[in-house]
C-alpha cells in the first residue's frame, strides 16, 4: 500500500456514495503509464495512473496518482465544476519527494476577493481549516503568483513525518472533501449571463495558470518525455480549453 492510495480509495468511495458518478473519458495512453528510472541499485519503477468522473454539476473530477517508491509519491486531485455553477475547485496536491512532504489542500475560489463569494464558500469551512491547521502549520515559501488561486482556508504544509500525512493530512483531506460535497449538494445553476461569463473567465484563468505552471511538468518530462507530458497536461489534467474548442466547433 502506498502513501496516498488510502486517500484515493476514500475519495472515490465517498464520491460514489454521495453523487451519481459517471465515468469521464481518459485519452488513450494516459490511464496508466510506466517508466523505469535511475541506474543499477537505484532503479525504480514509476507508475502514473489516472482516474476521471463527472456528474451533472461537476464537469471533471480527476486524479493523477504517481507511485515511484518511498521517496516519490504524488496524488493530484482536482474537481472542476460545470461552467454554470459558481462552485470553487476542489484542489489537493499531495506530494512526497526525497526532500519531504508538501501538502496543498483547498477549495480554490473563482473570485478570491469577492466578499459575497467568500461568505458563501470560505466562511463555512473556516472552522474546518482552523481545526486542522493546528496540526498542519503553514508551509512557508509559496509562489506569489499562485496566491490569487487560493482561499483563506488554504492548508499549505510541509510535514516532516510520514505519520503526520497518514493521520492529520488524511483527516483534513476527508473533511475538506465532505464539505465540498455539501457545497455541491446545495449548488444551484447560474442563469445570469453576465455572471456566467465571469465564471467562464475565472475557470479559464485558473486552468491556464495551472497548465502553464504545472509543478509536475519537469518530473513527468524526465520520466515519460515531452510529447506524452504536454498531451497529459493539456489533453487530460487541464483540458477545459480543448473541450471548449470542441463544443464551439460542434455548436
Ligand atoms: N502538481 C500538479 C499536478 C501534479 C503536481 C497536476 C500530477 O498541479 C505535483 C502531478 N506539485 C507536484 C509536484 C511538486 C508540486 C509542488 C511533483 C513538486 C515540484 C518540485 O519540487 O519539483 C500547489 N504544488 C507544488 C508547489 C505548490 C503546489 C505551491 C510548490 C511549487 C514551488 O515550490 O514552486 N496546486 C499547486 C499549485 C497550484 C495548485 C502551484 C496553483 C493554483 O493548485
Amino acid at each position: 500500500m502506498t502513501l496516498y492510495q488510502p486517500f484515493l480509495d476514500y475519495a472515490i468511495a465517498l464520491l460514489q456514495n454521495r453523487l451519481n458518478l459517471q465515468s469521464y473519458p481518459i485519452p488513450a495512453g494516459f490511464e496508466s503509464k510506466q517508466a523505469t528510472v535511475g541506474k543499477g541499485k537505484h532503479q525504480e519503477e514509476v507508475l502514473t495512473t489516472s482516474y476521471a468522473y463527472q456528474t451533472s454539476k461537476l464537469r471533471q473530477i480527476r486524479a493523477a496518482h504517481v507511485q515511484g517508491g518511498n521517496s516519490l509519491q504524488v496524488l493530484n486531485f482536482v474537481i472542476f465544476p460545470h461552467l454554470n455553477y459558481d462552485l470553487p475547485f476542489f484542489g489537493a496536491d499531495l506530494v512526497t519527494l526525497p526532500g519531504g512532504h508538501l501538502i496543498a489542500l483547498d477549495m480554490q475560489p473563482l473570485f478570491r476577493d469577492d466578499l459575497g463569494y467568500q461568505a458563501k464558500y470560505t466562511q463555512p469551512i473556516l472552522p474546518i481549516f482552523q481545526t486542522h491547521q493546528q496540526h498542519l502549520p503553514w508551509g512557508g515559501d509559496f509562489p506569489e503568483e499562485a496566491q490569487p488561486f487560493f482561499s483563506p482556508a488554504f492548508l499549505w504544509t510541509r510535514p516532516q513525518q510520514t505519520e503526520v500525512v497518514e493521520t492529520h493530512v488524511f483527516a483534513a483531506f476527508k473533511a475538506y472533501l465532505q464539505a465540498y460535497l455539501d457545497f455541491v449538494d446545495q449548488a444551484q445553476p447560474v442563469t445570469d449571463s453576465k455572471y456566467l461569463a465571469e465564471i467562464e473567465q475565472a475557470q479559464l484563468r485558473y486552468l491556464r495558470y495551472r497548465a502553464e505552471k504545472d509543478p509536475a511538468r519537469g518530473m513527468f518530462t524526465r520520466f515519460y518525455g515531452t510529447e506524452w507530458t504536454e498531451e497529459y497536461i493539456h489533453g487530460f489534467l487541464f483540458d477545459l480549453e480543448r473541450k471548449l474548442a470542441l463544443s464551439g466547433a460542434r455548436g
Side-chain angles (χ1 to χ4, degrees):
M1 184 69 90
T2 55
L3 185 56
Y4 299 114
Q5 187 70 48
F7 291 68
L8 184 59
D9 292 344
Y10 175 86
I12 293 173
L14 185 70
L15 293 166
Q16 274 168 345
N17 252 308
R18 291 196 45 178
L19 304 171
N20 181 13
L21 269 196
Q22 310 290 126
S23 69
Y24 182 98
I26 300 173
F30 297 91
E31 304 93 337
S32 177
K33 180 75 177 171
Q34 210 203 307
T36 306
V37 301
K39 292 201 174 85
K41 278 187 187 164
H42 302 287
Q43 272 200 355
E44 284 274 11
E45 301 285 300
V46 181
L47 176 66
T48 298
T49 47
S50 302
Y51 303 81
Y53 307 93
Q54 58 190 322
T55 75
S56 57
K57 294 182 181 178
L58 303 173
R59 188 187 68 78
Q60 189 200 35
I61 301 165
R62 58 88 181 142
H65 189 200
V66 182
Q67 298 171 88
N70 281 341
S71 54
L72 176 60
Q73 296 289 324
V74 178
L75 179 64
N76 183 268
F77 183 76
V78 182
I79 299 178
F80 299 92
H82 273 293
L83 300 182
N84 61 333
Y85 290 89
D86 70 356
L87 286 161
F89 306 95
F90 180 86
D93 203 13
L94 314 174
V95 180
T96 299
L97 297 173
H101 309 288
L102 179 159
I103 303 294
L105 182 61
D106 197 15
M107 302 206 197
Q108 301 189 270
L110 292 172
F111 311 106
R112 187 197 50 175
D113 298 325
D114 179 322
L115 295 179
Y117 193 86
Q118 282 192 12
K120 191 170 175 185
Y121 289 124
T122 297
Q123 273 168 29
I125 60 162
L126 284 179
I128 301 173
F129 167 71
Q130 281 149 6
T131 300
H132 295 280
Q133 203 205 18
Q134 296 168 19
H135 309 285
L136 301 169
W138 179 248
D141 275 0
F142 187 74
E144 175 98 31
E145 54 185 5
Q147 283 174 17
F149 302 106
F150 290 95
S151 83
F154 177 33
L155 273 176
W156 166 246
T157 189
R158 299 172 187 263
Q160 301 286 320
Q161 295 166 304
T162 300
E163 198 195 332
V164 171
V165 177
E166 292 166 337
T167 56
H168 296 302
V169 173
F170 194 22
F173 178 81
K174 291 174 181 172
Y176 271 61
L177 189 57
Q178 287 165 16
Y180 186 80
L181 296 182
D182 293 340
F183 285 142
V184 173
D185 284 343
Q186 292 155 25
Q188 297 297 322
V190 171
T191 53
D192 179 75
S193 58
K194 182 164 169 286
Y195 197 32
L196 284 169
E198 288 169 2
I199 291 169
E200 179 171 329
Q201 282 316 303
Q203 282 233 10
L204 286 169
R205 201 161 52 229
Y206 174 83
L207 183 109
R208 286 175 183 143
Y209 178 81
R210 295 223 37 189
E212 187 188 331
K213 301 287 171 164
D214 190 340
R217 180 175 262 113
M219 175 185 86
F220 282 137
T221 302
R222 258 183 291 122
F223 299 156
Y224 309 127
T226 303
E227 198 181 325
W228 186 93
T229 299
E230 294 307 316
E231 195 53 30
Y232 192 50
I233 291 172
H234 295 285
F236 177 64
L237 290 176
F238 303 106
D239 71 356
L240 177 63
E241 284 191 287
R242 292 259 185 102
K243 298 287 168 173
L244 285 177
L246 280 177
S247 63
R250 252 191 261 115

